[in-house]
Amino acid sequence: ALYVASADTGVVVFDLTEPAVPALLRSFPSGRGALDVHTVFVDGDRLYAMSPSPVPKTFIFDSRQPTEPRLLGEYVEPGAGTNYTVGYPHDALAFEGRLYINHWTAGYLVVDVSDPTAPKKLGGFSYPYATSHANAVGHVGGRLIAFESGESWGARLRVLDVTDPTNPQRLGEYTLSDNVSPHNLVLKGERLYLAHYQHGVLVLDVSTPEQPREVAHYNTFRETDPGRGESFYEGAIGMRVPGDGYVYVIDTSRGLLVFPEP
């Protein structure tokens, strides 16, 4: 199955049994009217859908029947939908029974989803002018480390120790310039891959989390490409590092770019 986030109809599911002829099956959760889902994340037999509106919440589905996900539970941050400073779930990553949610102006949340019918917030990390946008989590040097980035003017990458989820601790930061923002990130072992809009794609050595160090860089951005200079959201916007020896990067003008994994 393929799950697509829709700004109008929630999660759209396609049957990919025949990849050359994807079959549109349905949208879900059904019966809720117009529903904005901005991102989805699959972890094993769980599917998470982050919805900014009409009520900001994260849906948790059982996806053991891939084309027929079943709603198990929801997480709603207190104040979401009534207090604008709480923001909304923009993206999330599941890791070892916890869901790490980028909740925009509320910052970064850690939620226990071991019981999906009753998700429980464990802790969080907030900061001034937060626009918490994307994250990656993994074990580095015996500690559980989270990498969190915003998306705005002056946005940066933050390195957090989340070994104690009730009290995340800031270890360090990485930033390039105040007029260009990070967008997405992928952690593979002790290397962190960043899609960084007009700065292109970067690879950081994070074996010492307190001091991320650039080890590879390719700027996908070309000023001569059509439409350049018209938007803040230009350049490298996403990537995947599936472990096949290649890095797959999406650029807003150039499309799909494939690099050997450094």
Side-chain angles (χ1 to χ4, degrees):
L2 171 68
Y3 306 115
V4 178
S6 167
D8 298 309
T9 57
V11 181
V12 184
V13 59
F14 291 83
D15 186 338
L16 296 185
T17 303
E18 297 184 39
V21 190
L24 172 61
L25 298 181
R26 64 181 63 83
S27 297
F28 62 92
S30 59
R32 302 209 179 203
L35 180 65
D36 179 4
V37 167
H38 190 70
T39 53
V40 294
F41 186 86
V42 177
D43 179 50
D45 58 9
R46 296 273 181 86
L47 168 65
Y48 301 91
M50 282 53 74
S51 174
S53 66
V55 177
K57 64 177 62 176
T58 297
F59 294 99
I60 307 172
F61 298 93
D62 181 335
S63 59
R64 283 177 290 184
Q65 296 294 326
T67 59
E68 298 180 7
R70 180 172 60 89
L71 184 63
L72 296 175
E74 303 173 351
Y75 177 77
V76 180
E77 177 71 358
T82 58
N83 182 348
Y84 77 93
T85 65
V86 174
Y88 58 89
H90 176 277
D91 207 345
L93 180 141
F95 188 75
E96 297 181 343
R98 297 172 187 165
L99 190 66
Y100 297 83
I101 304 175
N102 299 97
H103 214 277
W104 206 248
T105 47
Y108 190 51
L109 311 181
V110 185
V111 177
D112 182 348
V113 289
S114 55
D115 179 359
T117 65
K120 177 183 177 183
K121 182 179 177 180
L122 300 176
F125 184 85
S126 61
Y127 48 92
Y129 310 109
T131 54
S132 189
H133 179 272
N135 80 96
V137 182
H139 294 283
V140 180
R143 294 178 290 178
L144 187 58
I145 303 297
F147 301 89
E148 182 271 351
S149 75
E151 183 191 37
S152 66
W153 302 102
R156 61 201 59 204
L157 173 74
R158 292 170 180 80
V159 184
L160 309 173
D161 187 334
V162 291
T163 306
D164 177 1
T166 67
N167 187 30
Q169 295 293 310
R170 176 186 168 278
L171 299 178
E173 292 186 352
Y174 181 85
T175 186
L176 290 176
S177 59
D178 285 342
N179 61 330
V180 178
S181 173
H183 187 254
N184 270 340
L185 49 153
V186 174
L187 179 66
K188 291 292 182 180
E190 295 182 342
R191 290 197 169 183
L192 186 71
Y193 296 77
L194 278 78
H196 208 292
Y197 280 127
Q198 292 93 339
H199 283 308
V201 58
L202 298 96
V203 184
L204 304 181
D205 180 337
V206 293
S207 56
T208 302
E210 292 83 353
Q211 298 177 324
R213 180 175 60 89
E214 180 184 311
V215 294
H217 173 224
Y218 186 94
N219 196 345
T220 66
F221 187 82
R222 298 185 305 201
E223 292 183 357
T224 55
D225 287 337
R228 293 303 203 198
E230 298 178 358
S231 171
F232 180 78
Y233 310 103
E234 295 178 349
I237 62 168
M239 82 185 76
R240 291 293 184 268
V241 190
D244 62 353
Y246 296 96
V247 178
Y248 300 84
V249 178
I250 296 297
D251 179 272
T252 56
S253 178
R254 300 175 67 180
L256 173 64
L257 303 173
V258 184
F259 302 90
E261 187 174 347

